[in-house]
Amino acid sequence: MPARIPSWAWVTGLTVGAIAAVAVLAVHADQGPHPTATANRPSTPAHAGASPTPTASAPARVPDGSGTGRRIVYSLGQKRVWLVDASDVARRTFAVWPGTVTPDPGTYTIGSRTEATTGTDGVQVEHIVYFAFQDGVSVAFSNAVDGSAPPPPAEGTETGGIRMRKADGAAVWTFGTKGTTVVVVK
């Protein structure tokens, strides 16, 4: 009758084998390609007219005159949003696709939020953060569920959706709770 190997010996052998396998994989991973940082911009849309224009490869500076403290800053001219923390440091900035109706420059407050709906352009959108009402149109940040750029609006259609990439929409949703200040600058 063969001798029985104790269970602690099996566990020790399997643990040593697993550690060796992880070490070999770590060495191979270290020799492979390494990720590099990239600018956080919306992807190129299918139609040329809606493409946000990045201002520079380095993160854009928060506009002067955009207030102080924790806030979302939206620049109409730069077509860009900043998420600014309480110490006035921009934690994230990204280009956006504005709607056809733009809010007047000024200070607003996020009044309501909707997880998902259909936009006035017929696109399924999510992370809708409402902050203004202009010319009878609600103005809000949002992103398409599929991450796409907004289609060109139909002739005469007024849209207040300020669209962004999916990851940026999720960041605004997390940052922009009800009552958060939104500052719109030229």
Side-chain angles (χ1 to χ4, degrees), residues 74 76 98-104 108-112 128-142 159-163 182 184:
Y74 172 41
L76 300 171
T100 61
V101 175
T102 57
D104 291 329
Y108 301 86
T109 302
I110 293 174
S112 65
I128 305 103
V129 178
Y130 297 93
F131 68 91
F133 192 74
Q134 185 76 34
D135 301 327
V137 176
S138 293
V139 179
F141 299 116
S142 66
T159 61
I162 301 163
R163 294 277 174 81
V182 176
V184 178

Side-chain angles (χ1 to χ4, degrees), residues 44-64:
T44 304
H47 57 286
S51 178
T53 306
T55 57
S57 59
R61 193 174 64 114
V62 178
D64 293 333

